[in-house]
């Protein structure tokens, strides 16, 4: 099945604003609560399982010779309707 985008929001924001969004997501994950994303008339509620896959990427994208766009991406993934056990990953974020 091809990828279906359920929600998308992309805009420039201050680091403090981004940190606030990430704290809200972290609090919802800690509490085992659903995460609702809203922007304009778009809204979607997701319920990550107890042990989703957590993917972190640092990327440099762009044409050979630049200019490049740098990014840090955080992604939670899980199979719809499934809750797999925890994986012993070795990620550290400092």
């Amino acid at each position: 099945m091809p990828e279906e985008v359920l929600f998308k929001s992309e805009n420039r924001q201050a680091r403090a604003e981004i940190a606030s969004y990430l704290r809200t997501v972290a609090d919802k994950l800690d509490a085992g609560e659903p995460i609702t994303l809203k922007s304009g008339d778009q809204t979607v509620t997701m319920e990550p399982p107890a042990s989703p896959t957590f993917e972190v990427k640092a990327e440099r994208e762009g044409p050979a010779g630049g200019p490049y766009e740098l990014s840090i991406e955080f992604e939670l993934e899980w199979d719809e309707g499934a809750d797999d056990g925890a994986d012993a990953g070795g990620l550290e974020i400092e």
Side-chain angles (χ1 to χ4, degrees):
M1 175 183 196
E3 180 177 284
E4 175 187 0
V5 176
L6 302 175
F7 180 91
K8 182 172 180 172
S9 175
E10 182 175 342
N11 53 59
R12 187 173 298 273
Q13 296 183 0
R15 289 190 303 191
E17 292 173 305
I18 295 166
S20 178
Y21 285 123
L22 293 173
R23 273 188 214 92
T24 299
V25 170
D27 291 345
K28 296 283 188 178
L29 289 170
D30 271 343
E33 297 175 353
I35 298 168
T36 299
L37 308 171
K38 296 179 184 177
S39 180
D41 63 350
Q42 291 186 92
T43 185
V44 67
T45 298
M46 306 291 282
E47 297 189 44
S51 299
T53 299
F54 182 47
E55 179 180 340
V56 179
K57 283 188 208 176
E59 295 181 331
R60 178 186 300 124
E61 298 177 281
Y68 299 110
E69 178 181 86
L70 298 172
S71 67
I72 300 171
E73 298 177 9
F74 301 99
E75 184 170 274
L76 298 174
E77 298 178 330
W78 64 94
D79 291 332
E80 216 167 342
D83 187 12
D84 296 333
D87 185 52
L91 173 67
E92 291 182 29
I93 300 177
E94 299 177 354

